Amino acid sequence: MAENKRDYYEVLGVGKDASAEDIKKAYRKGAMKYHPDRNPGDKEAEEKFKEIGEAYEVLSDPDKKAKYDQFGFAGVDPNFAAGGGGYGGGFGGFGDFGDLGDIFGEFFGGGSRQGPRQNAARRGENVLTQLELTFEEAAFGCEKEVSAQRIENCAACKGTGSADGVIETCQQCQGTGQVRTVQNFMGMQMQSSSVCPRCGGRGKIIKTPCTTCKGKGKVRRTVRKKVKIPAGVDEGQSVRVRGEGCVGSGGGVNGDLLVQIYIKRHPIFTRRDYDVYCEVPITFSQAALGAQIDVPTLDGMVKFDLPEGTQTGKEFVLRDKGVPETGTRRRGDHRFTVVVETPTHLTREQKELLRQLENSSEETPKRKKFADMIKDLFE
């Protein structure tokens, strides 16, 4: 029952003035905390995960959010406060405010219109879930199993909503789902149509509702699906799986499953677009004399000939050693920066050798320029 539900804003822990980004961040935080994969066998966590998903489904959709802000649960749940007479629905017979809309439409020359039928073909809602990958899994692609909640046809009644399979045509609307009324407005007769209050626009009446789905014909269920993650997917992107979202209504197609990607922090690598970055520490002697060093890449260790006189902070590029570009055979580059480590805990002999080196070294152009600048500044 809707009266047992918590306010969607309260569920996500945000205010009504929260931005779309704030709502998304709150959903991500809650979904990661209560995700079934992180809380196996925890029924309370599973319920909270469902609750968070339901709240985000509404508040992330501008149209649904506006209806929820104005009408509460009644604005987004067609079964809220459903009327009697079998499988009823709507908002006390007004449906999409058809009566008022038709009256004003006639008055301003719009003509009579028909409100949307509840049994018209509708595409199912998309379903959003999250998946955390390692840096390498995101780079090269993988196959992962994800869990998500979606609306499915009730297996007990095969989506009919009827426990015994007996479904009658609504006599009030003769199966059309719409009723017409004639009203007097300023001395004129105005004809309008609205959703049938008895059948909720479905045109059918169910005498014995299914106990599993309470006559709705649909249930919310957690499913697990294997999803192929393409190579090169990046943080925040979504992988779309066609037809694996909520079931459509009235013969409409199913929605899609959207798998939002998050990537674990790598101890060495960072990424920008398809290029990979890292820092490689080198010794003072390697920087001064040059050396062959080992550079970590996504393909393993690579030998690199470091030129003599390399300065700390110098960036080098290994072509085509980065992340594969999604949908192509190209790859980004691997860019690494060398950092010269100053030696510590030197022996007496090592210190003496460094002093001899210092005394024998010629003044470099950069040091000379700096010395001249200091002289001009303070003299």
Side-chain angles (χ1 to χ4, degrees):
M1 295 295 290
E3 56 265 26
N4 294 328
K5 291 183 179 180
R6 286 199 297 152
D7 174 70
Y8 287 149
Y9 290 100
E10 179 186 343
V11 169
L12 294 182
V14 297
K16 288 192 174 182
D17 58 347
S19 66
E21 185 63 26
D22 290 337
I23 291 172
K24 182 178 180 180
K25 286 181 179 177
Y27 165 73
R28 177 187 175 188
K29 180 179 178 181
M32 293 291 281
K33 180 178 180 181
Y34 295 110
H35 198 285
D37 288 347
R38 295 191 171 189
N39 303 273
D42 189 335
K43 294 296 182 183
E44 183 178 352
E46 184 177 345
E47 289 303 315
K48 286 184 180 293
F49 182 76
K50 293 178 183 178
E51 188 179 41
I52 290 168
E54 182 179 334
Y56 182 70
E57 181 183 351
V58 171
L59 298 184
S60 63
D61 185 308
D63 182 54
K64 291 181 180 179
K65 182 177 182 295
K67 290 179 180 178
Y68 177 71
D69 288 344
Q70 187 171 6
F71 303 109
F73 293 109
V76 293
D77 186 355
N79 298 299
F80 177 77
Y87 192 38
F91 304 101
F94 286 98
D96 257 287
F97 303 98
D99 292 335
L100 293 176
D102 289 336
I103 290 172
F104 286 110
E106 285 282 348
F107 182 73
F108 291 107
S112 177
R113 68 172 179 85
Q114 283 198 343
R117 289 174 58 112
Q118 295 295 317
N119 57 354
R122 287 192 182 90
R123 183 182 183 277
E125 296 283 346
N126 291 337
V127 172
L128 180 67
T129 190
Q130 297 177 323
L131 178 63
E132 190 174 49
L133 301 174
T134 66
F135 196 93
E136 289 81 3
E137 287 172 336
F140 295 117
C142 57
E143 185 176 75
K144 288 285 188 177
E145 185 176 71
V146 301
S147 63
Q149 282 198 334
R150 69 183 183 187
I151 303 298
E152 299 182 346
N153 283 328
C154 176
C157 64
K158 296 182 174 57
T160 64
S162 173
D164 55 10
V166 178
I167 304 175
E168 299 179 355
T169 299
C170 177
Q171 296 303 308
Q172 185 166 344
C173 65
Q174 301 301 310
T176 64
Q178 300 283 318
V179 291
R180 290 186 173 274
T181 57
V182 178
Q183 303 178 20
N184 287 317
F185 185 75
M186 299 179 66
M188 296 183 294
Q189 284 193 333
M190 313 294 288
Q191 188 180 65
S192 63
S193 63
S194 62
V195 175
C196 176
R198 184 159 187 252
C199 67
R202 295 171 179 82
K204 303 292 182 182
I205 295 294
I206 297 173
K207 292 293 186 181
T208 309
C210 172
T211 57
T212 300
C213 63
K214 305 297 190 295
K216 296 178 182 179
K218 293 180 174 58
V219 293
R220 184 183 294 272
R221 192 167 74 89
T222 300
V223 295
R224 303 189 71 86
K225 292 289 179 181
K226 285 189 176 181
V227 178
K228 289 186 177 180
I229 307 300
V233 67
D234 204 354
E235 175 89 6
Q237 293 182 342
S238 294
V239 176
R240 183 182 295 269
V241 185
R242 301 284 182 184
E244 292 295 344
C246 295
V247 67
S249 300
V253 298
N254 292 352
D256 299 331
L257 171 63
L258 302 177
V259 183
Q260 194 168 32
I261 301 299
Y262 296 96
I263 301 175
K264 295 178 182 177
R265 184 185 298 274
H266 196 279
I268 298 176
F269 302 138
T270 58
R271 173 179 171 179
R272 190 179 308 151
D273 294 328
Y274 295 104
D275 289 346
V276 175
Y277 295 77
C278 75
E279 286 187 350
V280 178
I282 60 174
T283 65
F284 175 77
S285 59
Q286 286 176 323
L289 303 176
Q292 187 176 75
I293 62 173
D294 290 322
V295 179
T297 73
L298 287 174
D299 298 319
M301 302 302 289
V302 172
K303 298 290 185 181
F304 181 80
D305 291 324
L306 193 71
E308 66 178 50
T310 296
Q311 302 298 310
T312 188
K314 172 69 175 178
E315 182 182 81
F316 297 95
V317 180
L318 299 174
R319 300 296 180 190
D320 303 321
K321 289 291 184 180
V323 175
E325 294 187 21
T326 305
T328 74
R329 294 185 178 182
R330 297 189 298 270
R331 292 181 64 171
D333 299 328
H334 183 98
R335 300 174 178 272
F336 69 95
T337 302
V338 296
V339 179
V340 179
E341 289 190 313
T342 303
T344 59
H345 307 297
L346 297 174
T347 65
R348 182 180 302 175
E349 291 77 8
Q350 290 171 330
K351 291 179 180 180
E352 181 59 32
L353 288 172
L354 285 175
R355 290 190 186 99
Q356 293 177 20
L357 176 63
E358 175 67 19
N359 294 331
S360 64
S361 297
E362 296 181 0
E363 189 174 37
T364 64
K366 185 177 292 187
R367 289 169 60 191
K368 184 177 185 305
K369 181 179 179 181
F370 181 74
D372 291 341
M373 290 173 60
I374 293 296
K375 182 177 180 181
D376 292 340
L377 184 63
F378 292 103
E379 292 185 2

